[in-house]
Amino acid sequence: DGGITQSPKYLFRKEGQNVTLSCEQNLNHDAMYWYRQDPGQGLRLIYYSQIVNDFQKGDIAEGYSVSREKKESFPLTVTSAQKNPTAFYLCASSNLTGLGNQPQHFGDGTRLSIL
Amino acid sequence: SQKIEQNSEALNIQEGKTATLTCNYTNYSPAYLQWYRQDPGRGPVFLLLIRENEKEKRKERLKVTFDTTLKQSLFHITASQPADSATYLCALDQGSARQLTFGSGTQLTVLP
């Protein structure tokens, strides 16, 4: 079945540590996105990529980094510079064909907590 | 500043009734609006997309309206069932950047 796989489902970070969240898709989508979701708030865009080897900052990119070396993969690193990393992180992908926005397909998220 | 508001954080209705969820926006001119369903601990799932030149869109028991004058979208679930209980998110496009901006969601509970 085609879809998006995020791993791990739960992740714990120690102070001063960088952690990397994995996101893989087999939908052959060009665009991939990372969002952060906090309780009672909507999804906020961290980074997005429309093509391999290129990505753009979203609304809350500070303290995060990404890479897009392969079409299928878009890992997110939460660096020690992110002072409030506890949240639910969601990865999504979409086609870029046609006009306007295509629906986004989401993974089931990674819940990151601080030890 | 740009803002998206979804009506009340939580909405409880009786099984069989129609649920109506509201998405209001300010300082946007979206060309498209999307609705998603999110279950606890899961990622959102796409439900419907409506374009600015479409007044209404239907899919099975779901209906979405889009009023660009009122800057509002209404999302209806007819003959609601307990299985419809979830959080529903509206999302507006940001044009050519291919980005979506999400509302905070409305948690719907359908009581048996």
Side-chain angles (χ1 to χ4, degrees):
Chain A
D1 286 340
I4 297 185
T5 302
Q6 290 189 242
S7 62
K9 192 166 181 63
Y10 299 95
L11 187 58
F12 298 91
R13 195 191 89 169
K14 296 179 181 178
E15 294 289 339
Q17 186 181 43
N18 292 353
V19 292
T20 297
L21 285 59
S22 170
C23 178
E24 304 278 332
Q25 55 102 357
N26 60 4
L27 299 167
N28 199 33
H29 286 168
D30 291 305
M32 296 188 74
Y33 311 82
W34 273 105
Y35 295 91
R36 169 181 173 140
Q37 187 174 34
D38 294 281
Q41 296 192 36
L43 281 64
R44 291 184 290 168
L45 184 65
I46 305 172
Y47 269 98
Y48 66 101
S49 168
Q50 297 184 359
I51 194 170
V52 173
N53 293 322
D54 188 45
F55 46 82
Q56 285 76 42
K57 293 181 179 180
D59 300 321
I60 55 165
E62 186 175 350
Y64 300 96
S65 66
V66 292
S67 63
R68 186 87 187 275
E69 297 177 1
K70 298 187 300 182
K71 187 176 183 178
E72 303 80 22
S73 179
F74 192 40
L76 173 74
T77 296
V78 184
T79 75
S80 57
Q82 173 49 246
K83 298 307 179 188
N84 184 24
T86 298
F88 189 47
Y89 290 87
L90 287 159
C91 178
S93 70
S94 71
N95 274 324
L96 292 179
T97 56
L99 297 174
N101 272 300
Q102 299 296 313
Q104 293 189 8
H105 298 252
F106 285 83
D108 275 339
T110 293
R111 191 166 298 279
L112 176 62
S113 302
I114 296 296
L115 287 178
Chain B
S1 62
Q2 297 175 324
K3 198 173 181 182
I4 303 174
E5 286 187 347
Q6 294 192 240
N7 66 317
S8 67
E9 288 188 9
L11 179 65
N12 296 334
I13 65 166
Q14 210 65 38
E15 183 176 5
K17 301 293 185 183
T18 296
T20 299
L21 284 62
T22 304
C23 178
N24 294 301
Y25 57 92
T26 56
N27 296 324
Y28 279 104
S29 295
Y32 305 85
L33 189 147
Q34 301 182 18
W35 283 89
Y36 290 78
R37 168 184 172 141
Q38 186 176 23
D39 291 289
R42 305 294 298 273
V45 174
F46 170 76
L47 296 174
L48 282 167
L49 179 153
I50 188 165
R51 294 174 172 78
E52 62 177 342
N53 61 352
E54 297 176 316
K55 296 298 181 187
E56 182 179 297
K57 201 81 169 278
R58 291 175 184 263
K59 178 182 175 183
E60 298 173 351
R61 294 184 297 111
L62 308 180
K63 184 178 85 170
V64 172
T65 63
F66 192 10
D67 189 325
T68 55
T69 301
L70 292 178
K71 295 186 181 294
Q72 180 181 80
S73 175
L74 298 179
F75 177 80
H76 306 273
I77 305 175
T78 58
S80 59
Q81 304 166 0
D84 295 326
S85 299
T87 296
Y88 292 86
L89 305 167
C90 70
L92 308 182
D93 77 56
Q94 291 195 45
S96 60
R98 308 281 189 167
Q99 298 175 45
L100 293 177
T101 300
F102 285 83
S104 58
T106 296
Q107 184 177 346
L108 173 67
T109 301
V110 180
L111 303 168

